[in-house]
Amino acid sequence: MTDTQTTRARGPRVSVRVEGESPAGIAHARDAARAFADELAAAPGTAETLALGVSELTTNGLRHGGGRYTLQLTATAEAVNVAVSDLNPAPPRERAPERWRRRVRWSAASPAR
């Protein structure tokens, strides 16, 4: 598999498939999601919302799923579906949110920036 590969299909359902195995592939997946939403003539803001969701899901697939993911975007007249699969055979599990490890100190006496 190359770093990222995109396949488009047309028919009663519109479909886009993106395969990736690097952080650069995630940017490509976001771009593919924006183009997909634009092709559907979706409502304003839909492309960015879809790109954000795709970014989160593909990042999780890359980070927790074995280093590769496949993104499948499909649309019918009623819905847009986003599916991400990865190499990890275990089902996803709920995780606690990661906490910022760096603390920033601020006081009213601090100079404005």
Side-chain angles (χ1 to χ4, degrees):
M1 172 176 23
T2 61
D3 180 50
T4 305
Q5 191 172 21
T6 305
T7 309
R8 291 184 178 273
R10 289 222 171 261
R13 295 167 48 126
V14 178
S15 178
V16 171
R17 178 183 169 108
V18 177
E19 296 177 349
E21 57 187 17
S22 74
I26 294 167
H28 178 73
R30 282 192 305 267
D31 292 343
R34 285 185 193 102
F36 183 75
D38 290 345
E39 247 182 66
L40 299 174
T46 301
E48 287 307 310
T49 302
L50 182 60
L52 175 61
V54 161
S55 184
E56 291 294 321
L57 292 170
T58 54
T59 297
N60 286 346
L62 185 65
R63 184 172 181 194
H64 304 292
R68 281 192 197 160
Y69 62 86
T70 300
L71 166 69
Q72 183 76 38
L73 299 170
T74 57
T76 64
E78 297 82 30
V80 171
N81 299 293
V82 179
V84 175
S85 58
D86 57 46
L87 298 174
N88 191 338
R93 64 180 174 84
E94 189 172 339
R95 296 175 188 257
E98 293 179 3
R99 305 272 181 204
W100 288 98
R101 303 210 191 296
R102 185 174 143 208
R103 293 187 181 180
V104 177
R105 195 177 279 195
W106 180 86
S107 72
S110 295
R113 294 184 193 193

